[in-house]
Amino acid sequence: MLNASYSRYLLEFKRPAGTSRGVLHTKPAWFLQLERADQISGTGEVSLIPGLSAEQPSEVEPALDQLCRSINEGHANPHSLELLPGVRFALESALLDLEGGGNQLLYPSPFTEGKEGIPINGLIWMGDTSFMKQQIREKLEQGFRVLKMKVGALETELELQVISWIRSQYGSHELELRLDANGAWSPEEALQKMEQFASFGIHSLEQPIAPGQWAEMARICSEAPFPLALDEELIGCDPEQEGVRLMEAIKPHYLILKPGLLGGFAACSRWINLAGSIGAGWWVTSALESAIGLNAISQWTFRRNSPLTQGLGTGAIYRNNFPSPLSMEGSQLWYREETGWDLSLLHDPSMH
């Protein structure tokens, strides 16, 4: 018999985070806790980014209320419930944590033993050119050799100046550049914009146009001067129901998998299988989760053996994150078991 409960928590950014959906100062999070009779408990995080997630913030607590009531009334198989993607991710993570003894050890591996790290790209936040150059310098000094940079928010000329500045110091054989447009361009302008970036040895571009325009995205993918990746296109899309149709229609070169927004690891595994069926690659990115969600995603990602650099370097962005074994060292994410977990903030009323 399980006892289920949840708590709300407000994550606070150390410095404002410029995204394609405006500047974020805080991010809401909810944590589902499942406790057994022997007092072992598992914790999972509801991952939600307002305006990007398939669900609205106002839907989360009613959904968690219903889930907890169902579990506490003895529902035999909570996996069979129809759940919001963020809540499904939390439930899957909490059950895995519970099975592992409640120590946030979901997928034991050489990563959780501290023997191997996960190569991570350096994420460059949006801002003016001097701020972006400052971040790039810092990432390069830390040893990053894969950078992800947002485009489509500033004037294209300014973005081109920053990328030209990068390439004046590091050639494409020394530094991999990934771009992310977050759907900022119109179908009419996307190819022309990409042609302007093409001479700078771009590895790939995420989501050039807004999701839901399959025919236009298919045309752009077939004519693009460098590989394209789907990101927002997958959010709210059921891989079982629509996945095959989407992949065959668009034929992307890569998929960007956000387990927290796509409904968890089972859903992402289905997307990986679909990518393989058309010869597409994939990598995993976090969606600004706390250490709890990032830990679950990182452990799962390591076990999937992707040969590509992952997008999991967001652990140090919060002022009030949970102390955890996750540690960014150079351009790799490591798990240092000796650091241990401290989830006491979860029970601090002032943080809710």
Side-chain angles (χ1 to χ4, degrees):
M1 183 73 178
L2 290 179
N3 179 64
S5 61
Y6 70 90
S7 55
R8 188 178 187 275
Y9 191 83
L10 195 63
L11 293 160
E12 300 174 357
F13 287 90
K14 287 179 181 175
R15 60 185 183 190
T19 74
S20 59
R21 288 159 189 82
V23 177
L24 300 177
H25 298 272
T26 60
K27 178 181 180 284
W30 293 262
F31 295 93
L32 175 68
Q33 291 194 287
L34 305 177
E35 187 172 358
R36 293 193 310 229
D38 60 4
Q39 297 190 314
I40 298 291
S41 65
T43 305
E45 178 172 353
V46 176
S47 181
L48 185 140
I49 298 179
L52 177 60
S53 295
E55 62 266 50
Q56 300 297 319
S58 61
E59 297 179 89
V60 173
E61 292 194 17
L64 284 169
D65 278 331
Q66 187 175 1
L67 172 63
C68 290
R69 189 164 57 249
S70 177
I71 292 172
N72 293 338
E73 290 171 357
H75 196 289
N77 180 14
H79 275 308
S80 68
L81 299 169
E82 285 294 317
L83 299 174
L84 300 173
V87 175
R88 184 169 291 279
F89 170 66
L91 174 63
E92 194 177 26
S93 301
L95 286 168
L96 285 164
D97 184 22
L98 196 64
E99 287 166 20
N103 299 309
Q104 291 291 313
L105 195 61
L106 286 67
Y107 292 98
S109 69
F111 171 66
T112 58
E113 293 167 8
K115 294 175 181 174
E116 294 183 43
I118 300 175
I120 302 297
N121 65 41
L123 177 60
I124 307 304
W125 293 95
M126 291 177 175
D128 59 35
T129 51
S130 63
F131 173 59
M132 293 175 79
K133 284 183 177 180
Q134 173 200 333
Q135 293 178 79
I136 291 163
R137 285 192 196 96
E138 289 171 1
K139 296 295 183 191
L140 295 174
E141 285 169 8
Q142 289 163 7
F144 286 89
R145 287 299 173 261
V146 179
L147 293 185
K148 175 180 168 178
M149 185 177 144
K150 304 283 188 177
V151 294
L154 305 177
E155 291 293 325
T156 303
E157 196 55 47
L158 293 176
E159 293 169 343
L160 288 166
Q161 282 175 21
V162 173
I163 291 175
S164 176
W165 171 77
I166 295 170
R167 280 290 180 242
S168 70
Q169 301 175 65
Y170 293 90
S172 53
H173 62 289
E174 299 171 285
L175 180 70
E176 183 178 296
L177 271 181
R178 299 174 177 178
L179 305 182
D180 183 2
N182 287 122
W185 298 330
S186 70
E188 295 71 33
E189 68 181 350
L191 283 168
Q192 177 232 330
K193 296 275 190 188
M194 281 185 263
E195 290 293 346
Q196 293 178 273
F197 291 100
S199 63
F200 295 109
I202 303 302
H203 171 270
S204 56
L205 169 75
E206 296 177 31
Q207 203 69 44
I209 64 174
Q213 306 175 84
W214 289 13
E216 293 289 358
M217 184 68 91
R219 177 182 63 82
I220 292 166
C221 273
S222 68
E223 299 177 20
F226 40 74
L228 298 187
L230 299 184
D231 180 356
E232 286 91 340
E233 199 75 59
L234 307 183
I235 295 171
C237 180
D238 185 334
E240 296 281 12
Q241 305 296 324
E242 301 175 280
V244 172
R245 216 157 47 83
L246 180 141
M247 298 296 278
E248 289 179 349
I250 297 177
K251 295 184 173 61
H253 305 97
Y254 295 105
L255 298 184
I256 310 301
L257 303 176
K258 291 183 167 73
L261 303 190
L262 297 181
F265 305 122
C268 286
S269 294
R270 288 195 283 273
W271 281 117
I272 289 171
N273 292 339
L274 290 170
S277 71
I278 65 161
W282 57 272
W283 63 87
V284 180
T285 72
S286 50
L288 307 180
E289 288 87 2
S290 77
I292 294 171
L294 181 60
N295 171 65
I297 293 168
S298 302
Q299 291 186 27
W300 175 80
T301 300
F302 184 87
R303 288 267 289 262
R304 294 303 315 215
N305 291 316
S306 169
L308 297 171
T309 300
Q310 308 299 308
L312 303 175
T314 57
I317 58 177
Y318 295 118
R319 185 189 65 76
N320 59 339
N321 209 342
F322 307 102
S324 81
L326 296 176
S327 174
M328 275 302 301
E329 298 169 24
S331 61
Q332 293 202 335
L333 182 66
W334 288 83
Y335 191 92
R336 302 302 188 193
E337 191 178 13
E338 61 274 13
T339 306
W341 284 90
D342 180 0
L343 301 185
S344 58
L345 282 173
L346 263 183
H347 310 289
D348 181 347
S350 68
M351 302 309 300
H352 295 226

